[in-house]
DNA sequence: GCCGTTTTCGGCCCGACTGTTTTCAGTCG
């Protein structure tokens, strides 16, 4: 049983308990446990074997024994009992905006409504409006919510919402009286996917901002709009939340609106322990004395006895304890990158020539770039065999002449075949400057076979980088299943770096595993996986953020080394000049 | 249901907005 599945089951239990009207703290305990499992760097089955599951924060005696049953038998009596008597359709109903467990339960008990279709029917028949606690407006809102469900549900790639955020930010910033506008929420924390855009505004007068947002030309409908907060749905279904506070509250408000929710709860709990109440306005002493000025987020964290916690780390997965003890790493930055590998050209499935491609790297100020098109097995991508690689080398040489200040490595993203062999002959692998080994086929292979396959590939002496290890495509498919630990053993032994693929749809290795990889002292290689010159900056723009979320420092990232060291110590190439 | 270490019981973050309410519950951030 995969951690993902266990996480989903714990979340389902939480929802079922909510519907039953169980104590909210018990519900939260299951939600917390689910999140803890989801952010685990190791397999639950391994933790059970080694009797370490109880050590996970949020997993106590009760949940531990349930997980043991689940992993051992594949079933969970407690879950089956809960499911019994609660129709599945209630989950769909709860996914309608504004419909929580309480209202869902009322409609189910009073009207027997337990599917979306029945709910829609009941609204159209005017049965809902007459119910106690409901009215005409709630009924219409439910109908609207059902009609737009397809558009509003689900998450989006961060790369796909940034333009909305920037456009609105600029529009708001242009208003009189606006002192600051910042993107907050999951977008600021750099999550791979986001549910909505959260914007925080500093101004003494909120009304004009609320009005501007409501009247924006991209707005389809207004979800809610009060004195200081407006939520709208854009024409493409994306939700935008705008919150306004007075400038003096900006630091506390930014901390609040950046989240995560779980980080906020933990930080506010810490504040209470220290004799304060923390909200989005101030840090108020419980003894009634006036709240101190909070200049910025670092000052707030300092007042709570913490080193500054960067937004990317605010997930309540140990960063607060680390910040207390001064043990947070100094995170890698985009400017630390000295160059990138994993770049495609029109020799395989990229759009540009070698020269156009490396120009983009030169323009970013890199001192090296590695060309790595696909290998022959990737026929769908026009992958290269040794012969074509030799011809490509001529174009690489020409580019070297054209860009003498840029070191251009000629490598290949070589397919890992189903049996773990690499897709090019050893002579060719020897001849290349570097080899990235990646899986592009047979991704759903059985777990132990996949582990063996990867192990064989990573053992090959010419492999320098393990490309997009999981093979996931965000919002499209889960990654492959395999055991990380034995593979990380190989990487550690052989000095293979694990890629942090910066393609906005991959971001692979993901931040959870980045943390594991770096904690084992294995190097990361942050790459763009660019298929066009414009995507060359995806290492800096997306890959680095994922690495930061995984607590990576400059030292953890191999392509922050100066050219000479990178070339000699990592790639093992003789110095050229 | 989880957690702590001066507590194994008694806390568990705090506030905005809406709708239906006559004083607040529910949902969401
Ligand atoms: N204190 C506190 N803050 C919250 C709570 N829920 C949300 N927030 C804060 C932290 C969140 O990052 C911020 C924005 O809320 P969102 O629902 O948009 O979540 P977030 O952006 O983190 O993730 P998402 O939108 O799902 O991608 O509001 C809560 O229950 N308590
Ligand atoms: Mg958000
Ligand atoms: Mg939001
Ligand atoms: Zn690839």
């Amino acid at each position: 049983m995969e951690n993902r599945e266990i996480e989903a089951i714990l979340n389902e239990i939480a929802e079922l308990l909510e519907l039953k009207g169980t104590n909210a703290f018990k519900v939260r305990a299951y939600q917390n446990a689910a999140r803890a499992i989801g952010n685990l760097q190791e397999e639950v089955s391994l933790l059970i074997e080694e009797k370490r599951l109880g050590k996970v924060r949020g997993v106590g005696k009760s949940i531990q024994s349930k997980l043991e049953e689940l992993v051992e038998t594949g079933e969970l009596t407690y879950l089956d009992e809960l499911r019994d008597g609660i129709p599945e359709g209630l989950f769909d109903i709860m996914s309608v905006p504004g419909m929580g467990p309480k209202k869902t339960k009322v409609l189910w008990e009073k009207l027997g409504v337990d599917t979306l279709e029945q709910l829609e029917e009941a609204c159209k028949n005017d049965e809902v409006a007459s119910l106690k606690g409901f009215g005409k407006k709630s009924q219409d809102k439910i109908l609207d919510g059902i009609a737009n469900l397809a558009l509003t549900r689900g998450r989006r790639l961060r790369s796909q919402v940034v333009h909305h955020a920037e456009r609105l930010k600029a529009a708001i910033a242009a208003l009189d009286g606006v002192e600051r506008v910042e993107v907050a929420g999951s977008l600021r924390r750099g999550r791979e996917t986001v549910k909505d855009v959260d914007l925080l505004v500093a101004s003494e007068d909120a009304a004009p901002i609320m009005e501007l947002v409501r009247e924006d030309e991209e707005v389809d409908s207004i979800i809610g709009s009060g004195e200081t907060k407006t939520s709208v749905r854009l024409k493409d279904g994306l939700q935008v939340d705008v919150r306004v506070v007075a400038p003096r509250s900006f630091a506390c408000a930014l901390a609040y609106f950046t989240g995560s929710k779980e980080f906020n709860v933990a930080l506010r709990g810490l504040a209470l322990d220290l004799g304060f109440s923390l909200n989005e306005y101030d840090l108020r002493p419980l003894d009634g004395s006036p709240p101190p000025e909070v200049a910025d987020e670092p000052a707030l964290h300092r007042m709570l006895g913490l080193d500054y916690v960067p937004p990317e780390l605010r997930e309540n997965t140990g960063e607060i304890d680390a910040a207390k003890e001064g043990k947070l790493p100094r995170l890698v930055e985009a400017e630390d990158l000295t160059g990138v590998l994993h770049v495609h050209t029109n020799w395989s499935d990229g759009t540009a020539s070698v020269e156009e491609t490396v120009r983009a790297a030169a323009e970013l100020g890199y001192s090296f770039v590695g060309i790595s098109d696909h290998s022959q097995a990737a026929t769908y991508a026009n992958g290269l065999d040794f012969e074509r690689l030799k011809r490509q080398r001529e174009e690489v040489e020409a580019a070297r002449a054209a860009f003498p200040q840029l070191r251009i490595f000629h490598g290949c993203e070589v397919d890992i075949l189903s049996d773990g062999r690499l897709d090019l002959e050893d002579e060719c692998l020897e001849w290349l400057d570097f080899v990235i080994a990646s899986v592009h086929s047979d991704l759903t292979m059985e777990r132990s076979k996949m582990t063996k396959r990867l192990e064989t590939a990573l053992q090959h002496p010419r492999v320098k980088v393990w490309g997009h290890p999981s093979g996931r495509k965000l919002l499209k498919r889960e990654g492959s299943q395999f055991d990380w630990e034995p593979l990380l053993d190989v990487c550690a032994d052989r000095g293979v770096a694990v890629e942090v693929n910066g393609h906005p749809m991959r971001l692979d290795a993901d931040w959870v595993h980045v943390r594991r990889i770096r904690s084992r002292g294995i190097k990361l290689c942050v790459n763009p996986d660019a298929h066009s010159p414009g995507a060359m900056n995806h290492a800096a723009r997306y890959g680095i953020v994922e690495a930061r979320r995984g607590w990576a420092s400059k030292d953890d990232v191999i392509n922050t080394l100066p050219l000479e060291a990178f070339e000699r110590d990592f790639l093992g190439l003789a110095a050229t000049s």
Side-chain angles (χ1 to χ4, degrees):
Chain A
M1 172 121 359
E2 302 290 316
N3 289 4
R4 286 263 159 274
E5 300 171 76
I6 296 171
E7 179 187 8
I9 283 171
L10 289 169
N11 276 323
E12 185 183 344
I13 292 174
E15 281 198 293
L16 288 164
L17 290 174
E18 269 191 308
L19 280 167
K20 283 185 51 163
T22 313
N23 176 295
F25 294 113
K26 182 165 166 177
V27 171
R28 210 166 80 187
Y30 277 95
Q31 290 169 339
N32 287 341
R35 200 161 186 276
I37 298 300
N39 290 336
L40 226 45
Q41 303 165 32
E42 298 172 283
E43 293 294 319
V44 169
S45 50
L46 182 73
L47 295 188
I48 290 175
E49 251 173 60
E50 299 182 354
K51 308 235 179 296
R52 289 191 284 134
L53 183 58
K55 290 207 174 67
V56 175
R57 281 239 258 178
V59 178
K61 285 246 159 32
S62 171
I63 293 181
Q64 180 182 353
S65 72
K66 290 186 175 69
L67 295 193
E68 283 167 1
E69 179 191 341
L70 191 57
V71 168
E72 203 171 302
T73 68
E75 290 181 48
L76 184 55
T77 327
Y78 181 64
L79 174 63
D80 294 339
E81 285 166 6
L82 280 173
R83 277 179 179 160
D84 206 38
I86 298 184
E88 273 181 60
L90 296 189
F91 291 109
D92 295 328
I93 293 177
M94 277 212 288
S95 72
V96 176
M99 289 295 297
K102 298 276 177 7
K103 289 185 169 184
T104 301
K105 194 162 177 240
V106 168
L107 292 182
W108 175 44
E109 284 172 352
K110 296 272 158 92
L111 299 178
V113 162
D114 65 8
T115 65
L116 270 184
E117 292 70 28
Q118 288 172 11
L119 176 59
E120 189 170 3
E121 197 61 29
C123 288
K124 285 182 175 158
N125 293 339
D126 218 21
E127 292 174 72
V128 172
S130 52
L131 246 44
K132 192 171 152 69
F134 292 81
K136 185 86 178 80
K137 285 190 175 174
S138 8
Q139 183 171 276
D140 291 345
K141 194 180 165 201
I142 291 171
L143 279 175
D144 180 69
I146 293 175
N148 290 294
L149 213 48
L151 211 56
T152 53
R153 96 157 110 210
R155 306 179 63 82
R156 294 156 196 254
L157 292 183
R158 179 157 54 94
S159 57
Q160 287 171 346
V161 308
V162 169
H163 69 281
H164 281 301
E166 292 304 326
R167 186 184 65 80
L168 274 160
K169 179 178 167 178
I172 294 169
L175 284 176
D176 280 346
V178 169
E179 295 195 11
R180 269 189 83 177
V181 190
E182 289 297 335
V183 175
S186 52
L187 211 48
R188 179 164 184 244
R189 299 199 311 280
R191 278 200 58 178
E192 303 94 321
T193 64
V194 300
K195 177 198 66 188
D196 61 7
V197 168
D198 302 292
L199 291 172
L200 179 68
V201 185
S203 172
E204 294 291 356
D205 187 10
I209 299 151
M210 302 290 91
E211 190 183 338
L212 176 110
V213 175
R214 287 193 303 265
E215 303 290 312
D216 184 81
E217 56 179 13
E218 282 293 312
V219 168
D220 174 78
S221 61
I222 296 160
I223 297 165
S225 184
E227 308 252 299
T228 68
K229 195 176 98 179
T230 290
S231 291
V232 293
R233 191 174 71 217
L234 302 184
K235 285 171 183 160
D236 71 353
L238 179 68
Q239 180 173 331
V240 179
D241 296 335
V242 179
R243 179 73 194 267
V244 182
V245 296
R248 91 190 80 85
S249 289
F250 194 77
C252 287
L254 186 59
Y256 150 70
F257 216 29
T258 297
S260 64
K261 174 189 172 195
E262 290 78 6
F263 179 84
N264 287 354
V265 169
L267 205 68
R268 289 171 181 206
L270 175 62
L272 283 174
D273 291 344
L274 298 174
F276 298 94
S277 173
L278 174 64
N279 58 24
E280 63 266 51
Y281 301 109
D282 48 33
L283 181 67
R284 192 169 290 271
L286 294 171
D287 63 13
S289 56
E293 293 258 320
V294 181
D296 50 21
E297 288 183 318
L300 174 65
H301 291 177
R302 177 49 54 210
M303 288 179 203
L304 295 171
L306 306 178
D307 283 352
Y308 176 60
V309 183
E312 293 94 329
L313 303 191
R314 300 181 197 169
E315 299 291 348
N316 194 30
T317 55
E319 69 280 7
I320 292 179
D321 285 342
K324 260 183 216 164
E325 297 161 13
K327 285 184 178 158
L328 283 179
R330 188 194 160 105
L331 300 183
V332 64
E333 294 174 14
E335 295 70 33
D336 294 329
L337 288 176
T338 49
V340 293
L341 306 180
H342 204 162
V343 172
H344 296 274
T345 73
N346 58 10
W347 281 80
S348 65
D349 58 351
T351 62
S353 67
V354 172
E355 181 166 337
E356 288 162 339
T357 302
V358 303
R359 172 176 291 119
E363 282 170 1
L364 289 174
Y366 292 149
S367 48
F368 63 87
V369 64
I371 298 292
S372 60
D373 275 305
H374 288 285
S375 63
Q376 56 194 7
T379 50
Y380 60 90
N382 194 23
L384 284 69
D385 59 14
F386 196 5
E387 285 312 309
R388 285 186 67 219
L389 278 164
K390 281 178 186 162
R391 278 192 277 136
Q392 187 184 37
R393 175 64 60 90
E394 294 168 19
E395 206 175 312
V396 169
E397 291 294 359
R400 283 172 175 163
F403 293 90
Q405 77 286 13
L406 181 69
R407 181 81 173 98
I408 303 170
F409 299 118
H410 187 204
C412 185
E413 185 190 13
V414 181
D415 262 47
I416 297 174
L417 304 175
S418 295
D419 60 3
R421 282 181 304 120
L422 298 181
D423 181 35
L424 289 168
E425 54 266 51
D426 282 349
E427 187 194 348
C428 176
L429 299 175
E430 292 281 345
W431 171 86
L432 290 163
D433 289 337
F434 69 95
V435 171
I436 300 172
S438 311
V439 169
H440 294 105
S441 59
D442 244 342
L443 283 108
T444 54
M445 196 175 252
E446 189 271 325
R447 187 182 189 93
S448 63
K449 272 182 77 181
M450 181 60 97
T451 306
K452 194 86 205 99
R453 172 189 186 183
L454 289 165
E455 195 169 0
T456 304
L458 294 175
Q459 295 280 11
H460 193 287
R462 290 298 296 161
V463 172
K464 292 293 172 204
V465 179
W466 178 13
H468 47 72
S470 87
R472 74 169 173 177
K473 287 264 177 82
L474 288 160
L475 307 178
K476 288 219 160 73
R477 68 169 187 233
E478 296 276 305
S480 299
Q481 298 182 2
F482 53 83
D483 298 325
W484 280 87
E485 292 307 314
L487 300 172
L488 294 183
D489 290 341
V490 177
C491 292
D493 279 355
R494 290 211 41 250
V496 171
V498 181
E499 178 173 70
V500 180
N501 187 299
H503 192 294
M505 197 177 271
R506 289 195 183 269
L507 299 172
D508 183 11
D510 66 75
W511 62 276
V512 171
H513 289 99
V514 166
R515 255 180 98 170
R516 180 67 189 163
I517 294 160
R518 75 170 289 273
S519 77
R520 294 211 39 181
I522 295 162
K523 299 297 181 196
L524 303 158
C525 188
V526 180
N527 287 328
D529 196 358
H531 288 74
S532 65
M536 188 66 74
N537 67 0
H538 285 181
R541 198 159 164 183
Y542 300 107
I544 283 287
V545 176
E546 195 71 11
R548 286 170 62 86
R549 287 180 58 79
W551 298 40
S553 66
K554 181 178 175 184
D555 278 350
D556 296 320
V557 178
I558 196 75
N559 49 328
T560 61
L561 284 177
L563 171 62
E564 294 72 24
F566 184 84
E567 183 166 15
R568 185 188 58 229
D569 302 338
F570 177 59
L571 294 185
L573 299 175
T576 40
S577 50

